[in-house]
Amino acid sequence: MVGMLNMQLEDPIYHALYKYTKALSVALGYRDLLTRLHSERVLGLSEAIGVRCGLSEKELGILKIAASFHDIGKIGIPDHILLKPAPFEKAEWEIMKQHPIIGEKIMAATELKGSQQAALIIRQHHEHYEGLGYPDGLSGEDIPVCSRIIAIADAYDAMAVTRSYHHARTHREIMEILSVETGKKFDPKLLVLFNEIIESSKFRAVENRDPV
């Protein structure tokens, strides 16, 4: 699997953490294959951003683990919501918004070295730069840099892939949306780096949609 092949962690703490938690990825794949594949692509994009912005080896280890398992909390979301082929009702959305908290608890429960740091990143990957995200309403640099990185990678890939409730957007369409949300949902400095990285990335979305 792409995520596993990319998980070359030099730090023995994070190598061990990944080794003993990769079963979670397999479990998520059986629950929702599209989410697991999405997580593998988010790992690749997040790692590229992390390297470009000069994260330390330890920070990259945390980032890789958290990116791989950023959606692991969806294991705890009921099927009728997680697999719903339509937009969520308000009450359903409130339940879905619990997945970062559930993911934090799952990762922290391993009680392995490094798991607490990765758990915090997972919890806060849906925080918005302007402070209107969830679950904690953090803003700016109060949001861990690894969470800010995953937020960009997560949003890009989510829009690039067709799901039952939306069509895939083109690369140009996605970049226009990200541009509008710069400084709102996303860290402006990190988005500048992402703009450079994505142009040559294998995870780049198609440029044009085939005519219907």
Side-chain angles (χ1 to χ4, degrees):
M1 293 186 293
V2 174
M4 290 186 182
L5 291 176
N6 283 343
M7 190 58 66
Q8 300 298 318
L9 301 180
E10 298 299 328
D11 190 315
I13 291 177
Y14 297 103
H15 179 78
L17 180 58
Y18 182 73
K19 177 181 178 181
Y20 290 107
T21 56
K22 66 183 180 181
L24 296 175
S25 179
V26 175
L28 181 60
Y30 278 104
R31 183 80 192 286
D32 182 3
L33 179 60
L34 292 179
T35 294
R36 195 200 75 194
L37 296 175
H38 162 70
S39 295
E40 293 176 355
R41 294 188 296 270
V42 169
L43 164 61
L45 288 170
S46 296
E47 180 180 4
I49 301 170
V51 170
R52 180 64 68 89
C53 72
L55 293 186
S56 67
E57 182 179 308
K58 180 178 180 180
E59 289 170 324
L60 281 173
I62 295 172
L63 175 62
K64 290 179 181 182
I65 292 293
S68 294
F69 300 109
H70 74 282
D71 273 345
I72 196 64
K74 289 183 178 179
I75 286 178
I77 303 300
D79 282 350
H80 73 276
I81 296 175
L82 180 65
L83 305 178
K84 184 179 180 180
F88 297 130
E89 301 293 336
K90 183 177 180 179
E92 294 171 333
W93 177 235
E94 290 303 315
I95 293 173
M96 178 58 80
K97 285 166 65 176
Q98 295 298 304
H99 82 268
I101 299 173
I102 297 170
E104 175 193 27
K105 292 178 179 178
I106 291 173
M107 179 58 67
T110 66
E111 298 185 352
L112 296 168
K113 289 184 178 180
S115 63
Q116 296 298 324
Q117 295 96 318
L120 181 64
I121 302 305
I122 290 170
R123 177 186 178 91
Q124 296 173 346
H125 78 275
H126 277 298
E127 300 290 348
H128 293 173
Y129 199 74
E130 65 182 1
L132 299 179
Y134 62 90
D136 301 317
L138 301 179
S139 63
E141 295 190 4
D142 287 338
I143 305 168
V145 64
C146 292
S147 295
R148 284 179 270 146
I149 288 172
I150 293 172
I152 295 172
D154 184 26
Y156 183 90
D157 189 73
M159 289 187 279
V161 178
T162 296
R163 297 298 294 263
S164 58
Y165 47 84
H166 73 73
H167 293 293
R169 292 182 169 91
T170 66
H171 173 69
R172 180 176 298 179
E173 289 171 336
I174 298 170
M175 297 309 292
E176 287 176 353
I177 292 170
L178 294 181
S179 178
V180 169
E181 295 179 337
T182 299
K184 297 177 181 178
K185 288 186 178 181
F186 308 115
D187 182 326
K189 294 180 181 179
L190 290 177
L191 202 53
V192 169
L193 298 180
F194 179 76
N195 290 346
E196 299 170 358
I197 291 165
I198 193 61
E199 293 304 322
S200 59
S201 173
K202 65 180 179 181
F203 302 111
R204 187 180 186 276
V206 297
E207 187 60 53
N208 298 298
R209 186 181 298 114
D210 293 334
V212 178

